[in-house]
Amino acid sequence: MTRQQNEDHPDVVAPPPLMFFGCAVIGTIAHFIFPVRVLRYPISLLLGVLLALASMALAISAWRVMKAAGTNVRPDRPSLTVVTAGPYRFTRNPLYVSSCLLQLAVGFFLNGWVPLSFALVLALVLHFGVILREENYLERKFGEQYLSFKRRVRRWL
């Protein structure tokens, strides 16, 4: 790879799946140290299942649309186009929304406020460690095309 190819990506602090995994693990461990229940377990479990299914559907849809558009899904690889179809019509970051939904699902599976609160931690880490960096990169790379997309579509929901 040339030097330019090595620099043609946003400089995210860590891979987003690793960020989710870290929040899920730390939130789970903290839950067993400070177990504060949310709901009766059958209701909490049902919410966890529904959120996990919604998260998976959103992630699969976003992944497929990115692949169909011919761009890279991984943020350590160059973006080749601005994707505006599928779930990208409603949120600029469907994969990160999906990760936060999955963290909420973990919280409801465990029926605990602590792992639920890690969805906010995850959102903040993604926002400052990934999303802002990606947006700066995409603005530099695609200019008005990306700026127009930003004006039309919300960052989260």
Side-chain angles (χ1 to χ4, degrees):
M1 256 195 231
T2 67
R3 182 172 182 245
Q4 183 178 3
Q5 288 172 320
N6 282 336
E7 294 175 2
D8 186 15
H9 60 82
D11 190 25
V12 300
V13 297
L18 183 60
M19 293 176 181
F20 162 75
F21 184 72
C23 284
V25 168
I26 294 168
T28 298
I29 291 168
H31 167 71
F32 288 109
I33 296 169
F34 306 105
V36 181
R37 303 288 174 218
V38 178
L39 301 164
R40 290 181 329 157
Y41 191 69
I43 296 169
S44 187
L45 179 62
L46 176 63
L47 287 172
V49 168
L50 293 175
L51 285 166
L53 291 173
S55 170
M56 288 183 349
L58 182 59
I60 290 168
S61 174
W63 188 86
R64 284 182 174 169
V65 168
M66 287 185 80
K67 286 307 212 183
T71 194
N72 292 304
V73 177
R74 291 176 43 177
D76 63 333
R77 304 269 170 86
S79 290
L80 305 174
T81 188
V82 176
V83 179
T84 60
Y88 291 90
R89 292 174 295 155
F90 310 107
T91 173
R92 296 194 307 261
N93 300 291
L95 291 168
Y96 306 143
V97 171
S98 171
S99 293
C100 291
L101 289 175
L102 192 55
Q103 180 60 44
L104 288 172
V106 169
F108 281 114
F109 283 137
L110 294 171
N111 193 21
W113 280 111
V114 173
L116 277 174
S117 69
F118 269 78
L120 177 60
V121 172
L122 178 59
L124 289 170
V125 169
L126 286 169
H127 179 79
F128 291 104
V130 178
I131 294 170
L132 293 180
R133 293 164 183 253
E134 282 185 344
E135 288 187 345
N136 287 333
Y137 163 74
L138 294 169
E139 285 176 20
R140 284 191 316 272
K141 183 161 184 168
F142 297 107
E144 183 54 38
Q145 180 185 8
Y146 184 72
L147 291 171
S148 173
F149 175 63
K150 275 180 69 172
R151 287 190 292 270
R152 288 190 324 271
V153 179
R154 292 176 170 277
R155 178 178 285 142
W156 287 96
L157 290 176

